[in-house]
Amino acid sequence: MTNSTADPVLSARGLTRRYGRGTSAYTAVDGIDLEVRRGELFALLGTNGAGKTSTLEVLEGLAPASAGTVSVLGMDPVADRRAVRPRQGLMLQSGGFPADLTAAEALRLWTSTLSAPRPVGELLAAVDLTHRAGTRISSLSGGEVRRLDLACAIAGDPELLFLDEPTTGLDPESRSRAWELVRGLKEQGTTIVLTTHYLDEAESLADRLAIMHQGRIVREGTVDEVVAGHPSRIRADLPEDAPLPPPLHGEAVLRGGRLEVSTESLAEDLHTLLTWSRAEQVPLRGLDARAASLESVFLALAS
Amino acid sequence: MPAIVGLSRAELTLLVRNRTQLFLALAFPPAITVFFAALLKDQQLAPAQLIPLLGAQFVIALVFIVYYNLLSTYVARRQELVLKRLRTGEASDATVLAAAAVPALAIAAVMTVLMTVLAIVLMDLPLPERPVLVIAGIAAGALVMVPFALLTANRTRTVEAAGVTSLPVIALLVIGAGAIPTDGLPEVAQRAISLIPSAAMDDLLQLGWLAEDPWSAALKPLGVLVAWLVLGLWAVRREMRWEPRG
């Protein structure tokens, strides 16, 4: 096995997923290309119904692609299931634990199906559930079940880990602990594919990301690459009798007393605006200036 | 630990925690035999008349311990997304489904032995002449109920609905076990009834216990049971539902 960073652990060409037939047919994933390299954390973002989970299910080998080719660890995730499964970990969106088992029993049940499981006690500790080991699943909180899900996903020490919205339903503290855990796995060399609704999660964890919209990938790259070329924004409320704002590099729109500037030169335009405000004695109420972020890119694409 | 052991152990833990289900599985079968024995006590029936009645008791016990129990289990595990989760792991589909059946089959084995002992003592029956056929009949009868439970589960939305969806299979098995006197029926009907798995199981029981016919007579009922089993497993493979029904 080569250990070069360019070595793709996962690749997809023209991945397509269709549901139904005839007039009710619906294309959830429309011929996307993906490549995830060894040791990388790759985030798949998208609005609800963008096709993230449908894509993930194909990559995980849970469903066949309607068209296109997928290679995971150099193998076909469906046909070579027996060889692929021991090397990958999965965290689904849904629990799937019998309600009457305790947390430790549920983990024992799961690890009994693995060829090389980590000890149950160690896994409970990794997700801070040691004190809940003897508690029935039915009495755990949603966030605790989510952490148990995560413990199952890492139980087999996978080379490749799929996390489908891993922190949905977690409180902020558990969320930051889950991030630490994910970072730790990445440092150990685990390749991670993650879907999330939280843009800060992707911004903080991902080496590279792709944004899906209506079954296609509309942006792909590092956070900086995705954000680059997107304008920054300045916003302020002007009084009714204010003079016209000065000429700016960016595009300024004044509507109903609200000034909105979309610009590539944030610092310069902001400076011009502030100087003008002082000279003309125009107050800039609710002044808000922000550089392009993953969030602004995402919102622009989704709308 | 092999996957099937770990999965079966969890299933057994769940069964033990479900007190009602456990109590019924353990108390109901011997109660049937004791009840029948008390009822038939003064009738002076010959073994040839008693064995079909014992067969009916086995069928009722197996319907209860294996078929209905597993039907509820499979529906519950599917609706809780347990099946979906297990399918994402290393265990094969067959292992996942078989493991869930192990505790019920084990209880069925213990209970049918207990019922046999009770029947011999209380109904004054002779010992079986060909025990291997008796065991084969009961074992095959119990195994056939596993795919039946799975196929019924596919048509059952909730654990509560199992009370209704199970009725056709239970009716069929009870008819096969002699609930309808077949003597007056046309030959076609009689032949059809003999193809029901519970009827084949009864035939093997009778042949094994009393040995009134040659060994070769076991081929037909054995063939019937194996055919049901193969057909059932084939259907499960084709139409198994792993995800919850809305």
Side-chain angles (χ1 to χ4, degrees), chain A residues 237-302:
Chain A
D237 288 327
L238 306 183
E240 275 179 28
D241 55 353
L244 271 182
L248 299 167
H249 291 286
E251 191 185 327
V253 180
L254 185 61
R255 193 177 293 134
R258 163 162 287 198
L259 175 70
E260 210 163 320
V261 183
S262 171
T263 176
E264 308 274 341
S265 323
L266 177 63
E268 246 175 278
D269 279 354
L270 191 60
H271 182 76
T272 310
L273 209 57
L274 289 171
T275 313
W276 168 79
S277 155
R278 168 169 279 191
E280 302 283 336
Q281 304 234 317
V282 180
L284 296 172
R285 266 190 296 269
L287 176 65
D288 175 40
R290 55 182 65 186
S293 65
L294 199 51
E295 187 178 1
S296 60
V297 174
F298 188 82
L299 292 175
L301 288 169

Side-chain angles (χ1 to χ4, degrees), chain A residues 81 100 105 108 115 149, chain B residues 9 17 85 87 89-91:
Chain A
R81 168 189 153 145
D100 285 340
E105 285 166 347
R108 202 170 301 133
S115 42
D149 268 331
Chain B
R9 186 168 85 168
R17 291 213 174 127
R85 160 176 290 281
R87 240 196 154 195
E90 292 180 40

Side-chain angles (χ1 to χ4, degrees), chain A residues 189-270:
Chain A
T190 311
T191 307
I192 301 167
V193 177
L194 165 133
T195 72
T196 182
H197 278 306
Y198 302 114
L199 299 170
D200 56 336
E201 186 160 295
E203 218 151 10
S204 152
L205 295 174
D207 297 310
R208 284 193 315 124
L209 57 93
I211 301 178
M212 285 188 78
H213 186 55
Q214 295 179 342
R216 291 171 191 272
I217 289 179
V218 286
R219 286 286 186 290
E220 193 181 355
T222 63
V223 174
D224 287 344
E225 284 166 2
V226 168
V227 170
H230 254 257
S232 306
R233 197 201 65 194
I234 304 168
R235 203 182 261 170
D237 288 327
L238 306 183
E240 275 179 28
D241 55 353
L244 271 182
L248 299 167
H249 291 286
E251 191 185 327
V253 180
L254 185 61
R255 193 177 293 134
R258 163 162 287 198
L259 175 70
E260 210 163 320
V261 183
S262 171
T263 176
E264 308 274 341
S265 323
L266 177 63
E268 246 175 278
D269 279 354
L270 191 60

